[in-house]
């Protein structure tokens, strides 16, 4: 079945460091891909998305490119800030018929030190 | 729009007690779902609903009931609380998209439940 695999955390970086959080997926057809972010004590919120191969999603300095050939959707940011400390979830939507379920990765915790 | 709201924010129960976690959305979304979040386990789907009057089980439905009498509300009932149900519970909703709708889920702020 469909699945999402994220790199395990926690990830600890210094401010202004480069961030990569790896995400790979297994799915049939043409899923949509998402990154969600969860700040401490809050619910999840959509960070960025990509709906077809080679699409690049971007928001708040974060980027991820939908790579069908490598079945990947890695999250990157060139210069992280303390305020980026959060848990990041990769997810896919099978886009099969009326299926609204999301398939979730386990999340990667990021801590950014000043 | 308030988006997705959940009450209460925090709750402590004793084993065997019952309670209802409330969830409401004002975006006229058809699809709603309940998740629990536990350390190292990510998000696990408890129940979901594709519209008023229709509900179905997710990955971990045991010990929970849901109903969907209106589009707006999707309460989650714990019938007889157990310590294993100590968790953070999130409600989410998803609207109808276009031909390639991307199923963005909107989350509530969560309910932190402790069962003693």
């Amino acid at each position: 079945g469909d699945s999402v695999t994220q790199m395990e955390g926690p990830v600890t970086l210094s401010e202004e460091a480069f961030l990569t959080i790896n995400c790979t997926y297994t799915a049939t057809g043409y899923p949509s891909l998402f990154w969600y972010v969860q700040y401490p004590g809050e619910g999840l919120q959509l960070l960025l998305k990509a709906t077809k191969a080679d699409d690049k999603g971007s928001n708040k300095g974060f980027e991820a490119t939908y790579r069908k050939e490598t079945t990947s959707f890695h999250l990157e940011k060139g210069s992280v800030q303390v305020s980026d400390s959060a848990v990041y979830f990769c997810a896919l939507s099978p886009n099969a018929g009326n299926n609204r379920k999301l398939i979730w990765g386990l999340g990667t915790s990021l801590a950014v030190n000043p | 729009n308030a988006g997705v709201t959940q009450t209460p924010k925090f709750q402590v129960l004793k084993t065997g007690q019952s309670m209802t976690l409330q969830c409401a959305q004002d975006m006229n979304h058809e699809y709603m779902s309940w998740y629990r979040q536990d350390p190292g386990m990510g998000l696990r789907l408890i129940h979901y609903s594709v519209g008023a009057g229709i509900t179905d089980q997710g990955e971990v439905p045991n010990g929970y009931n849901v109903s969907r009498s209106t589009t707006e509300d999707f309460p989650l009932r714990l019938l007889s609380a157990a310590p294993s149900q100590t968790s953070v519970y999130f409600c989410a909703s998803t609207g109808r998209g276009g031909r390639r709708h991307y199923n963005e889920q909107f989350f509530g702020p969560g309910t932190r439940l402790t069962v003693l």
Side-chain angles (χ1 to χ4, degrees):
Chain A
D2 297 345
S3 66
V4 173
T5 302
Q6 283 182 243
M7 63 184 285
E8 290 189 21
V11 174
T12 303
L13 297 174
S14 298
E15 206 164 23
E16 299 184 359
F18 184 86
L19 168 71
T20 299
I21 301 178
N22 290 338
C23 173
T24 57
Y25 68 91
T26 302
T28 55
Y30 302 92
S32 296
L33 301 172
F34 308 86
W35 277 101
Y36 279 77
V37 59
Q38 183 182 28
Y39 298 106
E42 298 184 9
L44 282 73
Q45 55 185 278
L46 181 66
L47 179 60
L48 54 83
K49 64 184 182 293
T51 58
K52 61 183 186 296
D54 300 324
D55 267 1
K56 178 185 282 188
S58 61
N59 186 24
K60 299 182 181 180
F62 291 89
E63 293 183 339
T65 300
Y66 186 164
R67 301 283 188 202
K68 194 164 177 64
E69 64 274 15
T70 55
T71 62
S72 64
F73 193 54
H74 304 321
L75 183 68
E76 296 182 336
K77 186 173 186 182
S79 177
V80 294
Q81 305 300 312
V82 173
S83 57
D84 294 326
S85 298
V87 181
Y88 294 82
F89 291 89
C90 186
L92 73 82
S93 169
N95 271 348
N98 200 29
N99 187 349
R100 312 274 183 97
K101 291 183 188 177
L102 290 184
I103 310 298
W104 296 90
L106 293 183
T108 302
S109 175
L110 170 67
V112 180
N113 298 320
Chain B
N1 287 350
V4 180
T5 58
Q6 290 184 238
T7 56
K9 287 192 174 181
F10 302 94
Q11 184 70 49
V12 178
L13 293 177
K14 295 181 180 178
T15 297
Q17 287 185 315
S18 62
M19 79 159 294
T20 299
L21 307 185
Q22 301 292 344
C23 174
Q25 53 90 11
D26 60 359
M27 298 173 282
N28 201 31
H29 284 172
E30 294 180 335
Y31 184 93
M32 297 185 73
S33 51
W34 276 102
Y35 295 93
R36 59 178 291 173
Q37 183 179 32
D38 302 291
M41 303 291 286
L43 291 171
R44 292 185 291 171
L45 183 65
I46 304 172
H47 285 285
Y48 66 98
S49 169
V50 299
I54 306 170
T55 63
D56 206 346
Q57 296 181 350
E59 303 170 59
V60 289
N62 292 342
Y64 307 95
N65 275 358
V66 292
S67 59
R68 185 90 180 274
S69 56
T70 67
T71 299
E72 293 79 18
D73 300 299
F74 190 43
L76 177 73
R77 297 183 186 84
L78 279 70
L79 308 173
S80 177
S84 61
Q85 294 179 304
T86 294
S87 187
V88 181
Y89 292 85
F90 289 102
C91 180
S93 73
T94 306
R96 178 195 298 272
R99 184 176 64 86
R100 283 195 62 80
H101 63 80
Y102 48 80
N103 290 339
E104 176 181 352
Q105 291 198 356
F106 294 83
F107 282 79
T111 295
R112 284 149 183 80
L113 176 67
T114 301
V115 183
L116 302 175

